[in-house]
Amino acid sequence: MEKADTPLDDIRANIEKTCKIARRSPDEVTLVAVSKMHPAEAIIPLLEQGQVHYGENRVQEAQSKWPGLRDRFPDAQLHLVGQLQSNKAEDAVALFDVIHSLDRSSLVKALGKAFDKLGKRVPCFVQVDVGKEDQKGGCPIDKLPDLLDQAREAQIPLAGLMCIPPLDTEPAPFFAFLDKLARDHELDGRSMGMSGDYETAIRLGATHVRVGTALFGERPEPA
Ligand SMILES: *Cc1c(COP(=O)(O)O)cnc(C)c1O
């Protein structure tokens, strides 16, 4: 009997199909499975299917879940997709392989210091506040050139730009805008697109899509 497709199979197929339509290679798009709030038992089946990249939004939660999983699956790559406090920078650098939420000067300093101390430099996406929504974090658009200069000066490896468009708005213009900003600043990576809009994001140049609910189902409510 044939095994039923898993959500991961479906999303991989959708990414491939979308890349074909957009005349892009699927190798250009990294699927980051956002496993925040989901327990290790929910993540293991994906690890067993060869899914490599995972996103978490809290340093502490990731510290409790991932060391054990990584013992079993040493190839797993961890992406921090949530806001990062400067005083957690060192913990984040120790644990994560990619950071998607560099958004201010104080964090450039904290990360630079943590990199030097740990002898490890983690690629960072600079998060841009494309929807002018303070609460989501992100660098204001007009401050981006300065922040990129500071990051380069601090020898932070720049992976690209990241955005979270406003809820309940057509996301395409925001994705197109982030793509243009990345091009203007000669950055390769575009971390954009989530469960509801990753195909749109891929058509507009996403290199990293961050998909949670479509892979894992609804997140458990916080206690
Ligand atoms: C939770 C989260 C996601 C995943 O969202 P879904 O809608 O569940 O796919 C993506 N990016 C960030 C920054 C997140 O916090």
Side-chain angles (χ1 to χ4, degrees):
M1 214 170 77
E2 261 186 67
K3 272 210 262 176
D5 282 355
T6 63
L8 179 60
D9 294 325
D10 291 343
I11 287 168
R12 284 173 170 166
N14 285 342
I15 289 175
E16 209 157 303
K17 198 169 65 191
T18 308
C19 282
K20 204 164 186 182
I21 293 167
R23 297 173 186 269
R24 300 184 59 196
S25 159
D27 299 341
E28 292 172 28
V29 180
T30 299
L31 172 61
V32 180
V34 179
S35 49
K36 65 185 185 200
M37 320 261 306
H38 293 287
E41 303 84 77
I43 304 172
I44 288 168
L46 272 74
L47 286 159
E48 286 175 342
Q49 286 181 80
Q51 168 63 28
V52 174
H53 297 270
Y54 295 85
E56 292 283 344
N57 70 336
R58 315 189 80 168
V59 175
Q60 225 174 354
E61 181 187 336
Q63 280 173 326
S64 73
K65 262 177 3 195
W66 278 95
L69 288 170
R70 270 184 163 160
D71 286 345
R72 287 181 58 193
F73 301 94
D75 293 337
Q77 296 276 307
L78 268 191
H79 297 245
L80 179 65
V81 301
Q83 290 184 37
L84 177 58
Q85 293 171 289
S86 297
N87 63 5
K88 298 258 176 70
E90 201 179 311
D91 288 342
V93 171
L95 184 65
F96 286 91
D97 300 292
V98 185
I99 292 171
H100 290 240
S101 50
L102 174 55
D103 64 355
R104 58 192 190 277
S105 307
S106 57
L107 195 51
V108 166
K109 290 198 191 86
L111 286 170
K113 223 163 112 184
F115 289 165
D116 289 341
K117 186 164 171 195
L118 300 179
K120 172 187 181 195
R121 306 192 95 72
V122 176
C124 294
F125 286 87
V126 172
Q127 182 179 345
V128 184
D129 182 12
V130 290
K132 306 198 167 103
E133 300 175 291
D134 279 351
Q135 75 281 8
K136 279 186 182 160
C139 171
I141 295 159
D142 59 345
K143 291 196 174 147
L144 180 64
D146 276 348
L147 187 64
L148 290 172
D149 284 345
Q150 290 163 14
R152 287 185 169 118
E153 204 160 301
Q155 296 182 315
I156 294 189
L158 288 174
L161 301 180
M162 178 272 212
C163 75
I164 310 173
L167 272 180
D168 304 321
T169 324
E170 167 58 43
F174 297 99
F175 295 152
F177 179 63
L178 194 80
D179 179 60
K180 179 182 183 310
L181 276 181
R183 196 164 340 115
D184 290 349
H185 292 284
E186 298 177 4
L187 295 164
D188 292 332
R190 289 107 164 105
S191 169
M192 57 190 196
M194 318 203 301
S195 289
D197 53 23
Y198 66 91
E199 290 148 303
T200 304
I202 290 170
R203 285 201 297 273
L204 292 167
T207 62
H208 292 67
V209 293
R210 311 177 309 265
V211 178
T213 310
L215 277 170
F216 293 99
E218 291 295 325
R219 284 180 280 277
E221 287 294 320

